[in-house]
Amino acid sequence: MLASFRELAVKSPWIYRINAGSCNGCDVEMATCALIPRYDIERLGCQYCGSPRHADIVLISGPLTRRVLDAARRVFDEIPDPKVTVAVGVCPISGGIFRESYAVLAPIDQYFPVDVNVPGCPPRPQAIIEGVAEAIEVWRQRL
Amino acid sequence: MNFLALFARNLTKGPYTEPFPFAPAPTAKRFRGKIEFDAETCEGCRLCERVCPAGAIRMTRTAEGMTFDCWHDSCVFCGNCEFHCPTKSIHQTADWHLAHTQDQKFLMVEHALIPNQICAECGKEALATAPATRTVTPPLSPTETQHLKALCPKCRAKFIRARKAAA
Ligand code: SF4
Ligand code: SF4
Ligand code: SF4
């Protein structure tokens, strides 16, 4: 029973986006993944959901500005375990163009347990899809 | 295009969705992706390191020569390095397959070494960079460039001065 549930669950991971102070470049690309039929991430069974409580995979963009840390933590903790975290863009990975700024806390793996990184500024939609595909693999092992 | 025309096109042309990730994704030839570096043609001017807004490039003098490193986890694909590089030794490829798991973080690096060499004239040790020859008139022949490459910076300057005086 549990095994078949696992099999079914990896077919439909729901995605949630957290914007941790991103310039919106990465967010536009993430939205593009799902909204435009050319990329259509829903073929992988993924769907963006409105509530963090429904999510399985969380995509974080942005260099984690100081002001957003508390809010991001709160939302992140609402997502049920096991979850998979994907850092989208170089901002969350290394700070990218904002690195060493007094206003940002990047890299975000000091604050959140990151599983998959998708570098790029912004990464193209296909690269994000590739990252999500890797995240689904991680999730399969974690379930 | 109105709805009916779109409908007719979709009926005849089939799905618009790219097959990726189940098949390769179409990529423009000039897509600005992962950095590639060629130590053979690099002049060692370190302009790329200086202009990189993300600090993704680092060149370091070591005992063997000068190392070049570009971290793909820091590069923002801006193309500044390629734009300013006088020899185009550094350029962006159309490769964007960079997604990786956390254990690979900061391991994706373009690494190269510009080795030291012994100057063919004075015997001093110097970097085996490509000689900067764009401004030399008349243009150097391939054999002259080859010879110049085997020299240290001082002997290179001497060679060019002597050539200018002879011309
Ligand atoms: S990685 Fe680039 S596009 Fe994405 S949020 Fe940072 S600056 Fe913006
Ligand atoms: S790659 Fe180009 S800009 Fe960088 S040090 Fe070499 S020649 Fe100079
Ligand atoms: S493309 Fe831009 S960020 Fe990347 S190495 Fe070159 S200068 Fe640096």
Side-chain angles (χ1 to χ4, degrees):
Chain A
M1 173 70 190
L2 201 62
S4 65
F5 172 74
R6 272 190 203 124
E7 272 313 300
L8 287 176
V10 288
K11 290 203 170 116
S12 64
W14 281 21
I15 310 180
Y16 188 75
R17 281 190 295 130
I18 297 180
N19 177 335
S22 128
C23 76
N24 236 16
C26 286
D27 297 270
V28 168
E29 300 293 318
M30 283 193 268
T32 310
C33 286
L35 294 182
I36 293 186
R38 171 172 283 178
Y39 308 120
D40 197 12
I41 203 169
E42 295 186 5
R43 282 173 303 143
L44 305 181
C46 306
Q47 192 183 18
Y48 283 112
C49 54
S51 162
R53 288 177 190 248
H54 300 159
D56 304 306
I57 294 177
V58 52
L59 307 179
I60 305 186
S61 60
L64 195 64
T65 53
R66 271 173 201 279
R67 299 221 14 142
V68 91
L69 174 64
D70 277 342
R73 264 206 180 127
R74 250 191 341 263
V75 174
F76 188 82
D77 289 341
E78 295 237 327
I79 302 168
D81 285 319
K83 58 193 162 210
V84 181
T85 316
V86 183
V88 177
V90 286
C91 275
I93 302 174
S94 64
I97 207 81
F98 306 112
R99 201 167 87 202
E100 286 161 24
S101 158
Y102 62 87
V104 307
L105 300 167
I108 66 159
D109 53 6
Q110 306 173 75
Y111 299 90
F112 300 104
V114 174
D115 299 300
V116 179
N117 295 298
V118 185
C121 185
R124 68 184 308 200
Q126 290 97 328
I128 297 177
I129 293 175
E130 205 173 57
V132 170
E134 271 188 44
I136 293 175
E137 272 314 304
V138 174
W139 196 48
R140 188 195 298 273
Q141 289 156 18
R142 212 165 271 181
L143 269 179
Chain B
M1 223 187 288
N2 67 28
F3 160 73
L4 280 178
L6 266 176
F7 184 65
R9 198 193 66 185
N10 286 355
L11 274 184
T12 51
K13 290 241 168 88
Y16 186 62
T17 309
E18 282 178 8
F20 187 81
F22 308 108
T27 305
K29 251 202 226 90
R30 291 177 60 201
F31 183 82
R32 299 203 322 220
K34 192 172 163 185
I35 290 291
E36 213 173 62
F37 174 74
D38 178 26
E40 270 303 300
T41 54
C42 172
E43 286 178 2
C45 64
R46 301 180 78 160
L47 216 55
C48 47
E49 186 185 25
R50 176 175 275 246
V51 298
C52 177
I57 299 175
R58 189 170 302 154
M59 300 181 92
T60 321
R61 284 305 290 257
T62 60
E64 293 93 52
M66 187 153 65
T67 56
F68 171 97
D69 289 284
C70 176
W71 283 268
H72 301 311
D73 270 343
S74 296
C75 170
V76 297
F77 297 173
C78 66
N80 236 5
C81 48
E82 176 174 352
F83 179 79
H84 287 280
C85 176
T87 56
K88 303 293 169 231
S89 316
I90 187 163
H91 69 272
Q92 288 186 283
T93 59
D95 182 9
W96 48 269
H97 296 276
L98 291 168
H100 56 277
T101 45
Q102 180 69 3
D103 51 329
Q104 300 279 315
K105 186 172 173 177
F106 286 128
L107 295 182
M108 299 170 80
V109 183
E110 176 79 6
H111 176 84
L113 171 77
I114 304 170
N116 279 328
Q117 65 178 1
I118 304 294
C119 173
E121 298 250 310
C122 66
K124 275 214 192 91
E125 200 176 50
L127 281 178
T129 52
T133 56
R134 278 169 323 287
T135 52
V136 180
T137 46
L140 290 156
S141 69
T143 35
E144 279 176 312
T145 315
Q146 205 60 40
H147 174 61
L148 214 56
K149 185 159 181 183
L151 304 181
C152 70
K154 269 193 186 150
C155 295
R156 281 180 188 179
K158 214 191 276 169
F159 178 87
I160 300 225
R161 267 204 306 279
R163 195 168 172 277
K164 208 181 241 167

